[in-house]
């Protein structure tokens, strides 16, 4: 994981105490043990660029800071081709391959830019004397504050309570904003400008087989470029493979690119995931490891981590921009071993919000947009609801609802939720995520949303990369485009029937069925901090939410708990100690 901070003085030079503060507060903002943090600095006329990493050595390219064309360059994330660092800083519309944000500095000049999905974020703020640009929101905020006190933007947190992540460019910290997708911020001689490049508009659906093939080929080429550097690694890539859609595309992609890889699948031998993954591995002639779940006696209760400890680690890692309801990857020492997963594969299928829809009529799609921003309105104050409506309005006014939902997914579900949640995994290494690649996302967004939503695009990718998988069934629901499809002509291929999902009996989760003891812990924190929540939460509705012995909306309860813990000073602060685990009973042990 890398952390960057750029500082530009509005007048004159950067005072030495400012730099000393940056060096002292990095331990609060970088969620790794202090003894593994290494730093580099560059200082010029009125500008400084500082970088820190927990990478144990300088082998990963490009380096933390490097000089190209008279500019100092920093890269958060990775480039498909590390040599492309010489092309930075680039126009945000330049389809450079990789998953990254970039930073540059020289005398009197400082800048940073996001890629098309801003999954490697950039945050910015200013004071009367300084412009601040950083990759961690808390770091930027602490540097903008005259002292060490944290000031929260309470109204901005209303979206955290509704959804568990941000549906805006706001942050939990007053005065700190997230840079939008495909956007560059520049400071020259003390003046800041922000240049935004709109997301690409989708082309009309291809009119014939030849046009479809050409569109799929462009997306395929972008995907192949993401894994090109993996050929030279000394060990195979480990791919987590299921019976579903997205990881199948990646297995086929690695096969086509001739990248050595192996696959692992979690589950019992009788589960469709294992059955299908085993067949895919056999067809592609790769090693397949099945990790069976522990076979233990049925339990009527489990011990879970105390919510305050869970919230502290989530706030520390995700900076108050992901709910403690989510399971964040815990810290492990950094490793350069290559891993891959199907994260954000929905990008190739018009986004998760469109995938939730069965009714694609205009009214239904508009309702999905409104609900995304304004759900659970009774819980919130009038001011919080008005703020939510203001955030929703630009998206509601878009004439193309499918495109709006597609772009909301990129802007917020990827660019805010995944951007903060994946910080946990980035502490362990920098895995390649083909579906997050700048070129891949750009190529996908340029394709008609209805065509992507039909799943024909990703099915054709599988056939393009690994034709021998054409007769391997999918797990769960059939391919959308294939419903009702029949073989009418000799060259018409009809995918095999889907393999139904098997209920394993392991569906109970303490997060979704928290039980009375855990509910009580959540209740006491939230109801005990109603004063802090008062600007955004209706106290009577909060009490009603927890009126039953077991809360009926556990995700909402966890979101409230996370925001409550943040506003009452849990983090930044010392890690809580002496917290006993909570016993959560199974609702019906006889099931």
């Amino acid at each position: 994981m890398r952390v960057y901070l750029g500082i530009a003085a509005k007048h004159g030079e950067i005072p030495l105490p400012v730099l000393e503060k940056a060096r002292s507060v990095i331990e609060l903002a970088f969620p790794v043990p202090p003894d593994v943090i290494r730093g580099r600095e560059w200082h010029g006329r009125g500008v400084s660029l500082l970088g820190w990493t927990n990478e144990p050595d300088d082998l990963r390219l490009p380096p933390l800071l490097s000089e190209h064309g008279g500019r100092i360059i920093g890269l958060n994330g990775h480039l498909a081709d590390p040599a492309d660092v010489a092309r930075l800083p680039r126009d945000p519309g330049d389809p450079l391959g990789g998953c990254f944000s970039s930073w540059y500095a020289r005398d009197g000049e400082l800048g940073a830019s996001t890629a098309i999905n801003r999954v490697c974020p950039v945050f910015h703020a200013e004071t009367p004397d300084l412009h601040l640009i950083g990759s961690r929101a808390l770091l930027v905020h602490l540097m903008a504050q005259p002292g060490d006190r944290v000031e929260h933007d309470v109204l901005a947190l209303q979206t955290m309570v509704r959804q568990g992540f941000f549906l805006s460019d706001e942050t939990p910290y007053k005065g700190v904003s997230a840079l939008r997708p495909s956007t560059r911020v520049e400071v020259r001689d003390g003046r800041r400008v922000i240049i935004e490049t709109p997301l690409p508009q989708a082309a009309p659906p291809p009119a014939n087989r030849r046009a479809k093939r050409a569109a799929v080929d462009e997306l395929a080429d972008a995907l192949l470029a993401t894994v090109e550097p993996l050929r030279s690694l000394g060990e195979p890539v480990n791919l987590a493979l299921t019976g579903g859609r997205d990881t199948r595309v990646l297995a086929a992609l690695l096969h086509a690119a001739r990248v050595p890889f192996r696959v692992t699948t979690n589950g019992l031998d009788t589960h469709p995931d294992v059955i299908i993954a085993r067949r895919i591995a056999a067809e592609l002639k790769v090693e397949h490891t099945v990790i069976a779940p522990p076979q233990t006696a049925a339990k009527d209760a489990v011990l879970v981590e105390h919510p305050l400890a869970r919230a502290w680690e989530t706030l520390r890692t995700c900076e108050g921009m992901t709910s403690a309801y989510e399971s964040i990857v815990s810290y492990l020492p950094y490793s350069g071993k290559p891993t891959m997963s199907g994260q954000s594969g929905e990008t190739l299928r018009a986004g998760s919000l469109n995938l939730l829809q069965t009714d694609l009529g205009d009214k239904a799609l508009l309702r999905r947009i409104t609900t995304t921003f304004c759900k659970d309105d009774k819980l919130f104050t009038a001011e919080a609801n008005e703020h939510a409506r203001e955030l929703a309005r630009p998206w509601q006014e878009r004439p193309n609802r499918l495109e709006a939902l597609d772009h909301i997914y990129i802007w917020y579900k990827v660019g805010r939720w995944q951007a903060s949640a994946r910080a946990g995994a980035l502490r362990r290494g920098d895995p390649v995520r083909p579906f997050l690649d700048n070129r891949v996302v750009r190529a996908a967004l340029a394709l008609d949303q209805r065509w992507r939503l039909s799943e024909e695009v990703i099915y054709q990718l599988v056939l393009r990369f690994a034709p021998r998988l054409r007769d391997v069934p999918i797990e769960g629901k059939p391919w959308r485009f294939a419903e009702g499809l029949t073989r009418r002509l000799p060259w018409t291929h009809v995918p095999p029937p889907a393999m139904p999902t098997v209920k394993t009996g392991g569906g109970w989760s303490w997060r979704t069925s928290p039980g009375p003891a855990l509910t009580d812990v959540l209740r006491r924190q939230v109801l005990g901090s109603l004063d802090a929540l008062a600007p955004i939460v209706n106290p009577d509705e909060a009490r009603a939410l927890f009126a039953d012995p077991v809360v009926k909306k556990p995700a909402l309860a966890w979101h409230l708990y996370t925001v409550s813990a943040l506003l009452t000073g849990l983090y930044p602060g010392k890690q809580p100690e002496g917290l006993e685990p909570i016993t959560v009973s199974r609702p019906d042990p006889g099931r």
Side-chain angles (χ1 to χ4, degrees):
M1 185 178 187
R2 294 179 174 186
V3 175
Y4 288 95
L5 175 67
I7 308 171
K10 291 184 176 180
H11 310 284
E13 299 300 321
I14 299 171
L16 184 60
V18 171
L19 298 174
E20 292 174 345
K21 183 176 183 179
R23 298 173 189 130
S24 67
V25 301
I26 185 60
E27 293 183 7
L28 281 177
F30 199 158
V32 299
D35 59 351
V36 303
I37 299 174
R38 300 186 300 116
R40 297 282 187 276
E41 299 180 8
W42 177 88
H43 305 284
R45 178 175 53 82
V47 170
S48 290
L49 181 58
L50 299 85
W52 297 271
T53 182
N54 68 321
E55 298 161 8
D57 51 48
D58 296 316
L59 296 179
R60 191 163 82 85
L61 298 176
L64 186 61
L65 293 177
S66 56
E67 184 176 358
H68 300 273
R71 288 176 171 174
I72 303 302
I73 304 294
L75 189 97
N76 192 18
H78 69 268
L79 292 167
D81 182 356
D84 281 341
V85 67
R87 293 170 59 184
L88 299 173
R90 78 197 207 297
D91 185 290
D94 179 9
L96 205 62
C99 178
F100 61 91
S101 54
S102 61
W103 311 75
Y104 73 90
R106 63 184 177 186
D107 282 349
E109 187 174 336
L110 174 69
S113 65
T114 56
I116 196 167
N117 54 15
R118 65 169 168 185
V119 76
C120 293
V122 174
F123 302 99
H124 57 95
E126 65 176 299
T127 73
D129 301 312
L130 301 171
H131 289 289
L132 300 156
I133 311 171
S135 60
R136 298 283 288 177
L138 178 60
L139 176 61
V140 171
H141 181 69
L142 290 172
M143 292 301 299
Q145 293 293 95
D148 296 331
R149 182 183 175 188
V150 172
E151 289 191 53
H152 295 112
D153 187 343
V154 182
L155 187 59
L157 287 163
Q158 58 85 24
T159 188
M160 265 291 294
V161 177
R162 292 181 206 267
Q163 293 284 11
F165 63 95
F166 273 80
L167 284 161
S168 71
D169 302 324
E170 301 160 307
T171 72
Y173 310 107
K174 191 167 290 186
V176 179
S177 299
L179 200 63
R180 290 182 170 182
S182 202
T183 298
R184 183 170 71 247
V185 55
E186 291 183 341
V187 181
R188 294 181 181 177
D189 296 321
R191 295 184 179 182
R192 187 183 73 185
V193 295
I194 295 177
I195 305 156
E196 181 179 351
T197 301
L199 298 187
Q201 286 189 326
N208 52 52
R209 289 174 60 200
R210 184 177 180 179
K212 285 184 177 182
R213 187 163 54 249
V216 170
D217 283 349
E218 184 175 347
L219 182 55
D221 289 344
L223 283 163
L224 286 166
T226 68
V227 297
E228 175 83 23
L230 301 178
R231 285 186 192 157
S232 59
L233 296 179
E235 59 181 306
V237 176
N238 187 66
L239 170 66
L241 182 65
T242 69
R245 291 148 169 77
D246 300 331
T247 57
R248 175 178 310 218
V249 175
L250 296 182
L253 169 64
L254 292 169
H255 170 78
R258 297 180 181 177
V259 173
F261 73 104
R262 56 176 174 246
V263 298
T264 58
T265 307
N266 292 287
L268 298 172
D269 286 344
T270 55
H271 194 279
D273 271 346
V274 175
I275 295 170
I276 295 173
R278 181 176 287 129
R279 185 167 169 185
I280 292 172
E283 292 285 355
L284 302 182
K285 296 180 173 56
V286 296
E287 177 188 345
H288 181 219
T289 301
V290 177
I291 304 173
Q295 300 296 294
T296 58
K299 296 180 179 180
D300 62 1
V302 294
L303 282 176
V304 302
E305 181 183 30
H306 193 284
L308 207 60
R310 184 182 177 93
W312 184 87
E313 180 60 26
T314 304
L315 293 173
R316 173 176 178 257
T317 305
C318 305
E319 303 190 289
M321 291 180 280
T322 300
S323 169
Y325 177 77
E326 305 294 339
S327 294
I328 302 302
V329 177
S330 60
Y331 170 78
L332 283 177
Y334 186 93
S335 170
K337 290 185 176 181
T339 62
M340 191 176 290
S341 75
Q343 186 180 48
S344 291
E346 297 97 337
T347 300
L348 275 58
R349 294 185 278 145
S352 62
L353 296 173
N354 279 321
L355 287 166
L356 290 171
Q357 289 294 120
T358 53
D359 182 352
L360 298 182
D362 187 74
K363 288 184 179 180
L365 294 173
L366 179 58
R367 188 161 55 247
R368 172 68 65 181
I369 294 171
T370 302
T371 301
T372 299
F373 285 89
C374 304
K375 66 181 293 191
D376 296 311
D377 61 309
K378 290 183 179 179
L379 177 63
F380 295 90
T381 62
E383 185 180 12
N385 282 326
E386 177 56 30
H387 190 60
R389 288 191 289 270
E390 288 175 3
L391 296 173
R393 195 167 293 118
W395 300 99
Q396 292 168 326
E397 292 172 352
R398 286 201 182 192
N400 187 335
R401 313 290 192 203
L402 281 172
E403 181 187 75
L405 287 166
D406 192 19
H407 288 186
I408 288 170
Y409 169 79
I410 294 294
W411 274 51
Y412 303 125
K413 197 70 184 288
V414 176
R416 299 309 310 275
W417 178 61
Q418 287 191 24
S420 60
R422 72 194 290 266
L426 289 177
R427 297 179 296 183
R428 298 183 173 192
D430 189 36
V432 174
R433 296 286 185 259
F435 299 137
L436 292 173
D437 181 88
N438 185 54
R439 277 187 61 195
V440 171
V441 175
R442 186 169 296 279
L445 292 181
L447 301 180
D448 177 73
Q449 280 87 17
R450 287 182 185 269
W451 186 37
R452 275 190 287 141
L453 192 56
S454 76
E455 299 181 334
E456 185 181 7
V457 172
I458 61 167
Y459 184 76
Q460 291 300 325
L461 284 171
V462 173
L463 297 190
R464 162 84 157 69
F465 293 140
R468 62 183 65 183
L469 297 183
R470 63 192 290 125
D471 294 320
V472 178
I474 202 81
E475 190 247 341
K477 296 181 179 179
W479 296 98
R480 291 183 176 214
F481 74 93
E483 294 184 34
L485 189 66
T486 59
R487 184 182 173 89
R488 295 185 297 272
L489 297 169
W491 57 81
T492 301
H493 173 64
V494 179
M499 185 175 289
T501 300
V502 174
K503 292 184 178 181
T504 62
W508 173 67
S509 166
W510 62 268
R511 291 191 308 151
T512 55
S513 300
L518 181 54
T519 293
D520 189 54
V521 175
L522 300 175
R523 178 191 295 115
R524 281 187 278 115
Q525 169 66 34
V526 172
L527 300 189
S529 59
L530 289 177
D531 286 348
L533 293 166
I536 55 174
V537 171
N538 182 326
D540 290 337
E541 292 295 328
R543 295 186 188 99
L545 176 67
F546 289 100
D548 296 324
V550 177
V551 66
K552 293 180 179 177
K553 294 183 175 182
L556 183 58
W558 273 103
H559 303 342
L560 267 170
Y561 183 93
T562 306
V563 172
S564 166
L566 176 70
L567 293 178
T568 53
L570 178 63
Y571 191 83
K574 185 180 178 182
Q575 183 175 7
E577 298 176 347
L579 298 171
E580 295 294 330
I582 307 297
T583 299
V584 180
S585 299
R586 195 179 183 98
D588 182 358
R591 288 181 184 174

